[in-house]
Amino acid sequence: MTDTTANAAPLSGNVLFYGKPEPLSVEAHGKLGVEGVDQPYAFVAKTNIVPLTVTEFAPAALSYPVIFVGEARQPVAVMGLRQDENLFVSEAGSFRPEAYIPAYVRRYPFVFANDDVQKRLILCIDRDAPFIKEGGATPLFNEGQPSQYTQQAMEFCNNFEQERQRTEAFVKLLTDLDLLETREAVFTPRNPDGSPAAPQKIAEYFAVSEDKLKALPAEKLVELRDNGALGQIYAHLVSLLGWDRLIAMAFQKAAEAQGVAGNA
């Protein structure tokens, strides 16, 4: 069940990016609106991983390594090699034009929170979002009712919630089949004379084991093919080739920063 009314019950949920999520209500937010912003994604510039849903694996794989992290084996897109750095989003808030923008980012500043008492989802809005302002050009409410913009946002969040549940089922399938293994992303720098230096580990994560996948019974592989999971698994595996591109981007950014400092 979902709702768009404020409630005094305690709320819980994953709110990465959200500084001050509040249950959306006409009483608290009836005068607010959204101001158009040319580069609206500055809030992503300080994080290097963003959660993904399973249906996003294929488009995300064209831009990022898609890996699994944490105890929950959460699938994420890797956008940088350091926690506070995003190589795909400028400080001003623009994504690189070729980069896929995850749904987790596109739903901002809206998010569903769990009302654990009444067992429902409540639509919230990040009151700290800089483009949410009193008298904003696109209102959140019209004559006391959610505006078309808000209704579209709720529909998007509803769809996202369905995809999130589908993703949990996909991860459970991988876990039940024992297909995930620990992997490392390693970079081998070069010495001044061009010889390879000692390898450096830049990340540790979970990924599908190709050996375990090949060892599955034929009927299980057919089942994974027919339910669409096999295609998502291959998209994830292909995406891991993106580590080299990510490393190259990090070096390019460092070289550009060094060049700017040298010219200062």
Side-chain angles (χ1 to χ4, degrees):
M1 178 180 179
T2 57
D3 198 358
T4 56
T5 57
N7 190 290
L11 301 174
S12 63
N14 189 339
V15 287
L16 174 67
F17 301 142
Y18 296 77
K20 190 180 178 184
E22 299 176 349
L24 187 66
S25 73
V26 66
E27 292 81 12
H29 309 111
K31 296 181 180 180
L32 299 181
V34 180
E35 287 291 346
V37 180
D38 290 335
Q39 299 175 318
Y41 298 115
F43 63 93
V44 193
K46 291 297 184 182
T47 186
N48 67 325
I49 59 172
V50 173
L52 286 174
T53 62
V54 64
T55 52
E56 297 181 281
F57 281 20
L62 298 174
S63 300
Y64 322 106
V66 176
I67 64 173
F68 300 85
V69 298
E71 188 175 337
R73 309 298 192 260
Q74 166 73 52
V76 298
V78 184
M79 299 185 178
L81 301 181
R82 296 187 297 185
Q83 287 188 354
D84 61 347
E85 181 180 73
N86 192 313
L87 297 171
F88 290 86
V89 182
S90 71
E91 294 287 340
S94 62
F95 262 88
R96 292 173 70 105
E98 77 281 6
Y100 173 74
I101 303 177
Y104 194 100
V105 171
R106 285 181 278 126
R107 70 176 178 172
Y108 186 84
F110 295 94
V111 65
F112 273 140
N114 296 316
D115 179 344
D116 293 329
V117 175
Q118 300 192 34
K119 302 299 181 186
R120 62 179 179 175
L121 293 169
I122 294 180
L123 187 67
C124 297
I125 191 167
D126 186 7
R127 193 60 187 86
D128 278 355
F131 46 83
I132 298 294
K133 301 178 179 178
E134 187 165 333
T138 304
L140 300 181
F141 292 90
N142 284 324
E143 299 180 355
Q145 297 298 317
S147 66
Q148 183 178 2
Y149 173 82
T150 301
Q151 292 176 29
Q152 290 172 344
M154 187 173 185
E155 182 180 359
F156 188 93
C157 288
N158 266 320
N159 292 336
F160 182 88
E161 178 62 18
Q162 293 172 13
E163 293 299 327
R164 187 191 64 78
Q165 293 175 8
R166 188 175 289 119
T167 302
E168 286 185 352
F170 174 77
V171 171
K172 184 178 186 303
L173 176 63
L174 297 184
T175 304
D176 290 347
L177 292 174
D178 191 29
L179 289 179
L180 293 174
E181 65 178 3
T182 303
R183 291 254 197 112
E184 292 181 351
V186 177
F187 165 65
T188 303
R190 294 282 176 178
N191 292 315
D193 63 1
S195 62
Q200 298 178 7
K201 183 173 75 172
I202 56 177
E204 187 172 275
Y205 59 95
F206 296 101
V208 170
S209 165
E210 294 184 66
D211 290 338
K212 290 182 177 181
L213 183 63
K214 292 175 184 176
L216 288 177
E219 61 271 18
K220 180 56 69 174
L221 284 170
V222 170
E223 181 183 328
L224 292 176
R225 181 199 67 191
D226 291 347
N227 66 18
L230 194 58
Q232 309 296 1
I233 289 171
Y234 283 134
H236 148 66
L237 290 172
V238 169
S239 81
L240 300 181
L241 299 173
W243 281 113
D244 288 343
R245 181 172 64 249
L246 208 59
I247 292 167
M249 290 172 64
F251 269 93
Q252 181 182 4
K253 183 173 182 178
E256 289 172 353
Q258 192 172 24
V260 170
N263 295 328

